[in-house]
Amino acid sequence: MAKSSKSKTDTSHAVRAGHDATSAVRLSQRLTAAIDAWAEAHQTVRAEAIRQLVELGLKVAPVAGYGRHRNSSEIEAFAVKQITELLDPSLPPDERERRIRRLIDGPPEFCGERVDLPKRRT
């Protein structure tokens, strides 16, 4: 009896004509519980809920600016804004500035390792 010339790997991802693909994914317990709650609220089963949620997620417009290439000054300005919002407003201005610089520039012992900063001339 002759062996088939097709190997198992040739058909592992193929979809039979007229049938939808079946996919397996790993979900955390928390995410599974959230999906199950959504499925129950929409009177459907988990598999159908996952399919509908994926379709909804794919239809959502991308977040403005996501995937857009930014220069380092834009990124730094955004980081400063975010850090400023997180800092205690009762801090004196010089302490706020010191903390922002420390977070943006990093510890002094690593400044020489940063590839995004110009090298210091010694």
Side-chain angles (χ1 to χ4, degrees):
M1 192 156 162
K3 286 187 176 181
S4 172
S5 62
K6 275 192 167 184
S7 69
K8 190 173 185 179
T9 57
D10 290 341
T11 59
S12 63
H13 292 96
V15 177
R16 294 182 314 209
H19 292 86
D20 290 335
T22 302
S23 299
V25 295
R26 291 178 195 235
L27 304 172
S28 67
Q29 290 178 343
R30 192 187 86 209
L31 184 56
T32 301
I35 292 169
D36 288 344
W38 190 93
E40 187 174 327
H42 291 83
Q43 299 174 350
T44 188
V45 295
R46 183 186 295 161
E48 181 64 16
I50 293 170
R51 187 192 61 75
Q52 289 178 17
L53 289 167
V54 168
E55 285 179 352
L56 285 170
L58 291 173
K59 289 179 186 176
V60 174
V63 177
Y66 179 76
R68 184 175 76 120
H69 296 288
R70 297 181 178 190
N71 63 34
S72 59
S73 61
E74 283 182 286
I75 294 168
E76 184 175 334
F78 181 74
V80 168
K81 181 179 177 237
Q82 294 297 310
I83 293 167
T84 302
E85 290 176 8
L86 294 171
L87 286 174
D88 182 4
S90 66
L91 286 172
D94 58 331
E95 178 62 15
R96 290 173 66 80
E97 182 61 29
R98 187 190 71 75
R99 290 184 184 190
I100 289 171
R101 282 295 117 215
R102 172 77 176 184
L103 289 168
I104 297 297
D105 295 340
E109 57 269 20
F110 295 124
C111 287
E113 302 298 319
R114 301 251 326 245
V115 295
D116 61 327
L117 297 176
K119 299 289 182 197
R120 289 187 182 174
R121 293 183 184 188
T122 54

